[in-house]
Amino acid sequence: MERSVVLTADGSSSVFVPYFDEYYHSVHGALQESVHVFIDAGFLFKINNSKELSILEIGFGTGLNTFLTFLEAEKYNAKIDYVTIEKFPLERNIYEALHFNTITDDANKQARFMSMHTIDWNKKSKVNTHFYLTKLHIDVLDFKASNMFDIIYFDAFAPTAQKELWTTAVFTAMYDALKNEGVLVTYCAKGEVKRILKSVGFVVQSLPGPIGKREMTRAIKLNK
Ligand SMILES: C[S@@+](CC[C@H](N)C(=O)[O-])C[C@H]1O[C@@H](n2cnc3c(N)ncnc32)[C@H](O)[C@@H]1O
């Protein structure tokens, strides 16, 4: 699949994919978007109650969310079991050109960015003593789990590009995959998506979005 590296407004890079006519992140800033939506509204929302979290990501892509979570978890000495799903893995020349390793000055941590990309698919791997990573090279439509995750980073391409990933069936699977009080966070704030999230049982919160977007969504599973 043809893809190219682009520069976004906060100086961080991202990827453009002509097939979907989509960017992997906001053009207003890839790094600021990932930190705002996934780390601040997802990871930091849950980490206060637990030093152990299991996280599911839909769309490994550039590995930015995975690497940011690793760096944040180090600050809390938190133990993370991270599962990420990707149907179209990036080629090496693309993920190398992103330079996301330079988000940190720590050379040892920088090396973890590359190892996150080079570890085997479909196998649980140890990134360090606190961070375990499983990259599943599958279609999210084929993923099923029950009561396993504290957080879901739902980072698929937009509904306009991939409407088959923003359906009642997919969000029912996401709801089932979460533990009670688990949260799903996404940059998407479309009314139709929020209606589907509510209809499958989530309590839905509209939160201020990252720079360039008015809102984002956090959906919480609360067993009755
Ligand atoms: C918006 S990008 C975000 C990627 C990633 N979270 C990041 O920070 O780079 C969406 C990702 O979902 C992947 N994807 C698209 N369709 C998919 C599918 N049906 N199943 C699994 N992954 C898919 C794309 O290849 C892409 O990597």
Side-chain angles (χ1 to χ4, degrees), residues 145-169:
S146 180
N147 282 307
M148 268 184 70
F149 298 99
D150 299 291
I151 308 174
I152 296 176
Y153 297 161
F154 198 85
D155 199 13
F157 290 129
T160 42
Q162 286 194 296
K163 67 174 188 311
E164 72 280 9
L165 302 188
W166 302 81
T167 62
T168 302

mmCIF file of all heavy atoms in Angstrom, residues 145-169:
data_model
loop_
_atom_site.group_PDB
_atom_site.id
_atom_site.type_symbol
_atom_site.label_atom_id
_atom_site.label_comp_id
_atom_site.label_asym_id
_atom_site.label_seq_id
_atom_site.Cartn_x
_atom_site.Cartn_y
_atom_site.Cartn_z
ATOM 1 N N ALA A 145 -12.864 -10.618 22.448
ATOM 2 C CA ALA A 145 -12.298 -10.854 23.781
ATOM 3 C C ALA A 145 -13.393 -10.560 24.801
ATOM 4 O O ALA A 145 -14.354 -9.847 24.494
ATOM 5 C CB ALA A 145 -11.100 -9.948 24.020
ATOM 6 N N SER A 146 -13.222 -11.087 26.003
ATOM 7 C CA SER A 146 -14.242 -10.887 27.019
ATOM 8 C C SER A 146 -13.617 -10.421 28.335
ATOM 9 O O SER A 146 -12.719 -11.089 28.861
ATOM 10 C CB SER A 146 -14.991 -12.209 27.226
ATOM 11 O OG SER A 146 -15.967 -12.040 28.204
ATOM 12 N N ASN A 147 -14.046 -9.268 28.811
ATOM 13 C CA ASN A 147 -13.625 -8.747 30.130
ATOM 14 C C ASN A 147 -12.115 -8.729 30.315
ATOM 15 O O ASN A 147 -11.615 -9.087 31.381
ATOM 16 C CB ASN A 147 -14.239 -9.603 31.244
ATOM 17 C CG ASN A 147 -15.685 -9.251 31.463
ATOM 18 O OD1 ASN A 147 -16.027 -8.088 31.664
ATOM 19 N ND2 ASN A 147 -16.535 -10.254 31.375
ATOM 20 N N MET A 148 -11.387 -8.261 29.321
ATOM 21 C CA MET A 148 -9.924 -8.330 29.395
ATOM 22 C C MET A 148 -9.220 -6.994 29.598
ATOM 23 O O MET A 148 -8.115 -6.941 30.119
ATOM 24 C CB MET A 148 -9.378 -8.921 28.087
ATOM 25 C CG MET A 148 -9.203 -10.414 28.109
ATOM 26 S SD MET A 148 -8.462 -10.961 26.565
ATOM 27 C CE MET A 148 -6.822 -10.314 26.715
ATOM 28 N N PHE A 149 -9.818 -5.907 29.129
ATOM 29 C CA PHE A 149 -9.062 -4.653 29.026
ATOM 30 C C PHE A 149 -9.631 -3.552 29.915
ATOM 31 O O PHE A 149 -10.840 -3.435 30.103
ATOM 32 C CB PHE A 149 -9.034 -4.172 27.565
ATOM 33 C CG PHE A 149 -8.347 -5.160 26.660
ATOM 34 C CD1 PHE A 149 -9.098 -6.044 25.888
ATOM 35 C CD2 PHE A 149 -6.966 -5.235 26.613
ATOM 36 C CE1 PHE A 149 -8.470 -6.980 25.072
ATOM 37 C CE2 PHE A 149 -6.333 -6.172 25.798
ATOM 38 C CZ PHE A 149 -7.078 -7.044 25.033
ATOM 39 N N ASP A 150 -8.691 -2.722 30.422
ATOM 40 C CA ASP A 150 -9.084 -1.533 31.198
ATOM 41 C C ASP A 150 -9.326 -0.345 30.283
ATOM 42 O O ASP A 150 -10.103 0.543 30.613
ATOM 43 C CB ASP A 150 -7.962 -1.171 32.188
ATOM 44 C CG ASP A 150 -7.690 -2.287 33.170
ATOM 45 O OD1 ASP A 150 -8.561 -2.540 34.010
ATOM 46 O OD2 ASP A 150 -6.613 -2.924 33.078
ATOM 47 N N ILE A 151 -8.606 -0.310 29.174
ATOM 48 C CA ILE A 151 -8.689 0.841 28.253
ATOM 49 C C ILE A 151 -8.662 0.323 26.817
ATOM 50 O O ILE A 151 -7.907 -0.601 26.492
ATOM 51 C CB ILE A 151 -7.471 1.789 28.418
ATOM 52 C CG1 ILE A 151 -7.250 2.194 29.878
ATOM 53 C CG2 ILE A 151 -7.639 3.038 27.546
ATOM 54 C CD1 ILE A 151 -5.974 3.010 30.115
ATOM 55 N N ILE A 152 -9.468 0.958 25.962
ATOM 56 C CA ILE A 152 -9.348 0.755 24.516
ATOM 57 C C ILE A 152 -9.039 2.098 23.868
ATOM 58 O O ILE A 152 -9.764 3.080 24.069
ATOM 59 C CB ILE A 152 -10.637 0.163 23.895
ATOM 60 C CG1 ILE A 152 -10.890 -1.240 24.458
ATOM 61 C CG2 ILE A 152 -10.519 0.112 22.359
ATOM 62 C CD1 ILE A 152 -12.196 -1.884 23.972
ATOM 63 N N TYR A 153 -7.933 2.129 23.109
ATOM 64 C CA TYR A 153 -7.643 3.300 22.268
ATOM 65 C C TYR A 153 -8.262 2.969 20.908
ATOM 66 O O TYR A 153 -7.728 2.134 20.171
ATOM 67 C CB TYR A 153 -6.141 3.485 22.065
ATOM 68 C CG TYR A 153 -5.281 3.769 23.287
ATOM 69 C CD1 TYR A 153 -3.899 3.546 23.225
ATOM 70 C CD2 TYR A 153 -5.794 4.295 24.476
ATOM 71 C CE1 TYR A 153 -3.068 3.820 24.300
ATOM 72 C CE2 TYR A 153 -4.959 4.565 25.562
ATOM 73 C CZ TYR A 153 -3.598 4.324 25.467
ATOM 74 O OH TYR A 153 -2.770 4.593 26.534
ATOM 75 N N PHE A 154 -9.384 3.587 20.596
ATOM 76 C CA PHE A 154 -10.041 3.291 19.317
ATOM 77 C C PHE A 154 -9.541 4.311 18.298
ATOM 78 O O PHE A 154 -10.037 5.429 18.195
ATOM 79 C CB PHE A 154 -11.570 3.333 19.477
ATOM 80 C CG PHE A 154 -12.263 2.624 18.344
ATOM 81 C CD1 PHE A 154 -12.466 1.247 18.386
ATOM 82 C CD2 PHE A 154 -12.676 3.312 17.209
ATOM 83 C CE1 PHE A 154 -13.074 0.572 17.335
ATOM 84 C CE2 PHE A 154 -13.288 2.648 16.151
ATOM 85 C CZ PHE A 154 -13.483 1.273 16.215
ATOM 86 N N ASP A 155 -8.536 3.904 17.508
ATOM 87 C CA ASP A 155 -7.816 4.830 16.620
ATOM 88 C C ASP A 155 -7.845 4.316 15.181
ATOM 89 O O ASP A 155 -6.811 4.258 14.503
ATOM 90 C CB ASP A 155 -6.368 5.011 17.128
ATOM 91 C CG ASP A 155 -5.715 6.270 16.572
ATOM 92 O OD1 ASP A 155 -6.419 7.115 16.003
ATOM 93 O OD2 ASP A 155 -4.481 6.395 16.725
ATOM 94 N N ALA A 156 -9.040 3.940 14.727
ATOM 95 C CA ALA A 156 -9.215 3.548 13.320
ATOM 96 C C ALA A 156 -9.302 4.815 12.465
ATOM 97 O O ALA A 156 -9.462 5.914 12.989
ATOM 98 C CB ALA A 156 -10.509 2.753 13.178
ATOM 99 N N PHE A 157 -9.205 4.664 11.148
ATOM 100 C CA PHE A 157 -9.458 5.801 10.271
ATOM 101 C C PHE A 157 -10.906 6.258 10.459
ATOM 102 O O PHE A 157 -11.756 5.503 10.941
ATOM 103 C CB PHE A 157 -9.189 5.427 8.810
ATOM 104 C CG PHE A 157 -7.732 5.213 8.493
ATOM 105 C CD1 PHE A 157 -7.302 4.060 7.848
ATOM 106 C CD2 PHE A 157 -6.776 6.166 8.838
ATOM 107 C CE1 PHE A 157 -5.966 3.854 7.558
ATOM 108 C CE2 PHE A 157 -5.436 5.971 8.546
ATOM 109 C CZ PHE A 157 -5.032 4.813 7.912
ATOM 110 N N ALA A 158 -11.165 7.473 10.022
ATOM 111 C CA ALA A 158 -12.466 8.103 10.270
ATOM 112 C C ALA A 158 -13.626 7.310 9.651
ATOM 113 O O ALA A 158 -13.428 6.586 8.666
ATOM 114 C CB ALA A 158 -12.439 9.512 9.695
ATOM 115 N N PRO A 159 -14.829 7.464 10.216
ATOM 116 C CA PRO A 159 -16.007 6.771 9.669
ATOM 117 C C PRO A 159 -16.238 7.073 8.188
ATOM 118 O O PRO A 159 -16.759 6.225 7.465
ATOM 119 C CB PRO A 159 -17.162 7.314 10.515
ATOM 120 C CG PRO A 159 -16.545 7.864 11.738
ATOM 121 C CD PRO A 159 -15.142 8.250 11.420
ATOM 122 N N THR A 160 -15.863 8.257 7.736
ATOM 123 C CA THR A 160 -16.039 8.587 6.309
ATOM 124 C C THR A 160 -15.180 7.678 5.430
ATOM 125 O O THR A 160 -15.550 7.375 4.293
ATOM 126 C CB THR A 160 -15.635 10.053 6.042
ATOM 127 O OG1 THR A 160 -14.441 10.319 6.771
ATOM 128 C CG2 THR A 160 -16.732 11.018 6.422
ATOM 129 N N ALA A 161 -14.036 7.221 5.949
ATOM 130 C CA ALA A 161 -13.127 6.367 5.169
ATOM 131 C C ALA A 161 -13.388 4.883 5.394
ATOM 132 O O ALA A 161 -13.188 4.064 4.497
ATOM 133 C CB ALA A 161 -11.675 6.682 5.522
ATOM 134 N N GLN A 162 -13.811 4.521 6.611
ATOM 135 C CA GLN A 162 -13.955 3.104 6.984
ATOM 136 C C GLN A 162 -15.217 2.909 7.809
ATOM 137 O O GLN A 162 -15.150 2.578 8.989
ATOM 138 C CB GLN A 162 -12.741 2.665 7.807
ATOM 139 C CG GLN A 162 -11.470 2.467 7.011
ATOM 140 C CD GLN A 162 -10.449 1.720 7.832
ATOM 141 O OE1 GLN A 162 -10.002 2.231 8.855
ATOM 142 N NE2 GLN A 162 -10.076 0.524 7.404
ATOM 143 N N LYS A 163 -16.363 3.092 7.186
ATOM 144 C CA LYS A 163 -17.608 3.054 7.976
ATOM 145 C C LYS A 163 -17.863 1.679 8.588
ATOM 146 O O LYS A 163 -18.533 1.562 9.607
ATOM 147 C CB LYS A 163 -18.805 3.552 7.169
ATOM 148 C CG LYS A 163 -19.257 2.718 6.000
ATOM 149 C CD LYS A 163 -20.552 3.352 5.456
ATOM 150 C CE LYS A 163 -21.245 2.512 4.402
ATOM 151 N NZ LYS A 163 -20.417 1.991 3.294
ATOM 152 N N GLU A 164 -17.258 0.615 8.009
ATOM 153 C CA GLU A 164 -17.449 -0.742 8.523
ATOM 154 C C GLU A 164 -16.798 -0.960 9.895
ATOM 155 O O GLU A 164 -17.051 -1.966 10.553
ATOM 156 C CB GLU A 164 -16.915 -1.773 7.513
ATOM 157 C CG GLU A 164 -15.401 -1.876 7.360
ATOM 158 C CD GLU A 164 -14.763 -0.783 6.473
ATOM 159 O OE1 GLU A 164 -15.479 0.175 6.109
ATOM 160 O OE2 GLU A 164 -13.563 -0.886 6.176
ATOM 161 N N LEU A 165 -15.946 -0.002 10.341
ATOM 162 C CA LEU A 165 -15.302 -0.152 11.651
ATOM 163 C C LEU A 165 -16.000 0.638 12.756
ATOM 164 O O LEU A 165 -15.581 0.596 13.909
ATOM 165 C CB LEU A 165 -13.836 0.280 11.563
ATOM 166 C CG LEU A 165 -12.971 -0.467 10.549
ATOM 167 C CD1 LEU A 165 -11.504 -0.071 10.701
ATOM 168 C CD2 LEU A 165 -13.123 -1.979 10.690
ATOM 169 N N TRP A 166 -17.053 1.361 12.418
ATOM 170 C CA TRP A 166 -17.734 2.211 13.401
ATOM 171 C C TRP A 166 -19.189 1.765 13.532
ATOM 172 O O TRP A 166 -20.113 2.575 13.484
ATOM 173 C CB TRP A 166 -17.639 3.680 12.975
ATOM 174 C CG TRP A 166 -16.236 4.167 12.810
ATOM 175 C CD1 TRP A 166 -15.420 3.986 11.724
ATOM 176 C CD2 TRP A 166 -15.454 4.909 13.759
ATOM 177 N NE1 TRP A 166 -14.188 4.577 11.937
ATOM 178 C CE2 TRP A 166 -14.185 5.150 13.178
ATOM 179 C CE3 TRP A 166 -15.702 5.407 15.051
ATOM 180 C CZ2 TRP A 166 -13.171 5.859 13.839
ATOM 181 C CZ3 TRP A 166 -14.685 6.115 15.702
ATOM 182 C CH2 TRP A 166 -13.442 6.332 15.098
ATOM 183 N N THR A 167 -19.385 0.478 13.704
ATOM 184 C CA THR A 167 -20.723 -0.105 13.674
ATOM 185 C C THR A 167 -21.143 -0.650 15.044
ATOM 186 O O THR A 167 -20.318 -0.819 15.946
ATOM 187 C CB THR A 167 -20.754 -1.292 12.697
ATOM 188 O OG1 THR A 167 -19.823 -2.263 13.198
ATOM 189 C CG2 THR A 167 -20.362 -0.886 11.286
ATOM 190 N N THR A 168 -22.413 -0.998 15.151
ATOM 191 C CA THR A 168 -22.924 -1.629 16.375
ATOM 192 C C THR A 168 -22.155 -2.922 16.660
ATOM 193 O O THR A 168 -21.802 -3.200 17.812
ATOM 194 C CB THR A 168 -24.428 -1.938 16.196
ATOM 195 O OG1 THR A 168 -25.090 -0.710 15.915
ATOM 196 C CG2 THR A 168 -25.024 -2.575 17.432
ATOM 197 N N ALA A 169 -21.870 -3.715 15.628
ATOM 198 C CA ALA A 169 -21.176 -4.994 15.843
ATOM 199 C C ALA A 169 -19.767 -4.764 16.411
ATOM 200 O O ALA A 169 -19.347 -5.431 17.374
ATOM 201 C CB ALA A 169 -21.089 -5.763 14.519
#
